[in-house]
Amino acid sequence: MFRTEYSKITAVLCKLFGFEHIEIAEDIASDTFLSASELWGLKGLPENPVAWLYTVAKNKAKNHLKHEAVFNSKVATHLNYSTESMELFDIDLSDRNIKDSQLQMMFAICHPAILPEAQIGLALRILCGFGIGEIADAFLTNKETINKRLLRAKDKLRAENIKIEFPGKVEINKRLETVLTTLYLLFNEGYYSASNNSALRKDLCFEAMRLTHLLLENEETNKPVVNALFALMSFQSSRFEARMDQQGEVILYDDQDTNLWNKELITQGEAFLNIAAQGNELTKYHLEAGIAYWHTIKEDTKEKWENILQYYNHLLLLEYSPIAALNRTYALSKANGKAEAIIEAEKLQLANLHVYHLLLGELYTDVDNDKAKACLEQALRLTNSTADKKIIVQKIGKLK
């Protein structure tokens, strides 16, 4: 309940007070849950816990507006409310206003003036209700670093006088791209994170999906590109349970138990990918969703890998990245054979990336095992990931 309701209360209060007083909005939300933890432990759960939280949050906010000098002189005046009329003042915690506030906060946090990693941190803290320790764990850093990062981002929001509001129709497409990038990175932070906290990683993914779905619920932002991103997230998260064993070790795609794949999420992804096909725009989210879709089909057919290869060809033309180029080469090996893929892989010359040597080791296996072993040993020297080291050692052990 803290995870879901803290973010709602904070978003509404922050919209009301502005970024100048964001810490007070967070404090009121936190204090509301502190009261709940104290009173509910003594008296038991109220009949409607959410309504209880909203009532207490409203009362605490009103008390701040009435008694804090800074609010009396700045915020209350700005809102055209006097302390005498504060009893009539209402804080709107309706479902519609909560969703609108979270959407507006999302666009504010994803302002171009804020660094991408800070955007993700703010989204996790304000929109998702993650604690500082959880955010530090997600980024594999410490609480002090996260606190400093968030403080700098909040100072930037104030300095730039960024408003918590929905952008106009002219602005929406440009700003939406930044919002989608942040949500995409937030999802990847969970899906590809090196953190061993699997529960946290799953939470990161599903919070990214929840925020993306908020965009789908709004007429102004329910666009094909948003549907494509949501389809991608659905396909990727469908294999979440199969990607790691009980000891927290990574399970490679070929070794995954398809019984652990979430069929409902796969069906959901297909539905949103169909919606995303409307219009003429083709984005990286469309292409990555197409690749993810074919990975939900376990059968190792030529049709599957030819489709994946074509998606990668389009993706590299649209937005080149070394990792996409490596993945494309693997798809090429499955579609056209290892000989052709080795030629293409060696053209990439990504000697500083351990995954490059890992791919070459995979391609040379059963073609030239001595060469494969040398490539895998180089990958082992370059990686710092314990999970990757274990996988590489296993591959070396299987070579004759």
Side-chain angles (χ1 to χ4, degrees):
M1 187 173 290
F2 177 85
R3 177 63 49 79
T4 58
E5 302 305 328
Y6 170 89
S7 60
K8 294 176 182 178
I9 294 170
T10 302
V12 169
L13 294 181
C14 198
K15 176 186 173 183
L16 182 68
F17 300 153
F19 280 124
E20 184 180 355
H21 303 290
I22 186 172
E23 285 84 3
I24 294 182
E26 292 177 305
D27 287 345
I28 290 172
S30 297
D31 198 36
T32 297
F33 278 90
L34 180 60
S35 297
S37 68
E38 292 171 345
L39 293 173
W40 294 359
L42 294 172
K43 299 181 178 180
L45 282 175
E47 186 176 337
N48 189 333
V50 173
W52 188 99
L53 290 170
Y54 289 178
T55 299
V56 172
K58 289 179 182 181
N59 290 336
K60 288 180 181 294
K62 288 179 181 180
N63 286 337
H64 271 282
L65 286 167
K66 287 170 67 176
H67 301 300
E68 295 294 323
V70 65
F71 276 77
N72 287 336
S73 62
K74 296 180 181 179
V75 177
T77 303
H78 173 70
L79 294 170
N80 297 318
Y81 284 102
S82 65
T83 54
E84 289 78 15
S85 65
M86 200 57 65
E87 293 303 323
L88 301 175
F89 178 75
D90 188 33
I91 295 169
D92 185 0
L93 280 165
S94 65
D95 185 59
R96 180 70 268 163
N97 192 53
I98 286 171
K99 288 181 178 179
D100 287 346
S101 298
Q102 289 185 309
L103 265 180
Q104 291 165 5
M105 180 67 75
M106 204 187 308
F107 276 89
I109 287 171
C110 297
H111 192 278
I114 309 301
L115 294 173
E117 62 180 17
Q119 291 174 355
I120 298 172
L122 285 171
L124 288 173
R125 181 64 183 146
I126 299 172
L127 292 173
C128 306
F130 280 76
I132 301 300
E134 291 176 305
I135 300 172
D137 190 3
F139 282 102
L140 299 180
T141 186
N142 54 59
K143 292 182 181 180
E144 183 181 1
T145 298
I146 295 299
N147 271 320
K148 288 180 178 178
R149 185 180 298 173
L150 295 182
L151 183 61
R152 285 194 297 269
K154 290 174 183 178
D155 287 342
K156 189 71 174 177
L157 290 168
R158 296 187 186 101
E160 296 287 336
N161 195 27
I162 295 170
K163 305 297 182 184
I164 304 170
E165 59 188 13
F166 204 64
K169 289 186 177 181
V170 176
E171 282 277 315
I172 202 165
N173 285 331
K174 184 170 68 174
R175 293 287 296 280
L176 182 61
E177 184 178 345
T178 307
V179 170
L180 294 181
T181 298
T182 299
L183 296 175
Y184 174 76
L185 293 173
L186 173 55
F187 183 89
N188 286 348
E189 198 64 46
Y191 197 73
Y192 298 109
S193 174
S195 170
N196 289 324
N197 188 338
S198 58
L200 172 62
R201 293 176 61 207
K202 192 186 300 182
D203 281 350
L204 288 169
C205 290
F206 286 121
E207 279 300 307
M209 292 181 72
R210 181 183 68 82
L211 294 176
T212 305
H213 200 268
L214 278 179
L215 295 172
L216 294 173
E217 291 177 329
N218 186 282
E219 186 178 348
E220 295 295 326
T221 52
N222 184 13
K223 298 178 180 293
V225 63
V226 183
N227 284 271
L229 177 58
F230 194 73
L232 169 61
M233 292 176 172
S234 299
F235 290 136
Q236 294 287 62
S237 57
S238 73
R239 293 188 286 112
F240 207 103
E241 299 297 339
R243 293 178 69 243
M244 199 167 287
D245 63 22
Q246 293 181 341
Q247 288 70 46
E249 301 291 343
V250 174
I251 301 175
L252 297 178
Y253 175 75
D254 288 338
D255 300 323
Q256 289 177 10
D257 180 359
T258 56
N259 292 318
L260 296 176
W261 290 3
N262 188 315
K263 304 300 188 294
E264 289 183 8
L265 283 172
I266 294 172
T267 301
Q268 174 177 283
E270 292 171 353
F272 282 95
L273 188 56
N274 285 332
I275 298 171
Q278 298 172 10
N280 300 318
E281 185 182 22
L282 183 67
T283 69
K284 74 171 186 176
Y285 304 121
H286 287 85
L287 296 169
E288 290 191 25
I291 293 167
Y293 161 73
W294 280 102
H295 276 90
T296 65
I297 300 171
K298 190 64 183 288
E299 289 77 12
D300 210 12
T301 64
K302 187 171 179 62
E303 179 194 14
K304 169 183 173 176
W305 290 106
E306 284 178 345
N307 274 281
I308 291 174
L309 177 60
Q310 290 307 313
Y311 276 121
Y312 274 120
N313 289 340
H314 285 296
L315 183 61
L316 288 169
L317 289 173
L318 189 66
E319 185 176 305
Y320 181 86
S321 81
I323 299 302
L326 286 173
N327 290 335
R328 183 254 177 197
T329 307
Y330 179 76
L332 179 65
S333 73
K334 301 291 284 187
N336 296 353
K338 288 187 173 184
E340 185 176 338
I342 288 171
I343 294 171
E344 292 298 309
E346 292 187 334
K347 289 178 183 178
L348 297 175
Q349 293 294 305
L350 300 170
N352 294 325
L353 293 178
H354 84 275
V355 287
Y356 173 63
H357 298 282
L358 180 56
L359 173 66
L360 284 174
E362 183 78 22
L363 296 179
Y364 273 113
T365 296
D366 296 331
V367 175
D368 183 339
N369 282 351
D370 289 337
K371 181 77 171 177
K373 184 178 180 182
C375 292
L376 291 171
E377 287 173 344
Q378 179 63 8
L380 190 61
R381 286 189 287 270
L382 288 173
T383 186
N384 293 318
S385 167
T386 302
D388 284 351
K389 285 181 178 179
K390 184 171 183 179
I391 290 170
I392 294 168
V393 168
Q394 288 174 346
K395 287 182 176 293
I396 292 173
K398 290 178 181 178
L399 292 172
K400 296 179 181 179

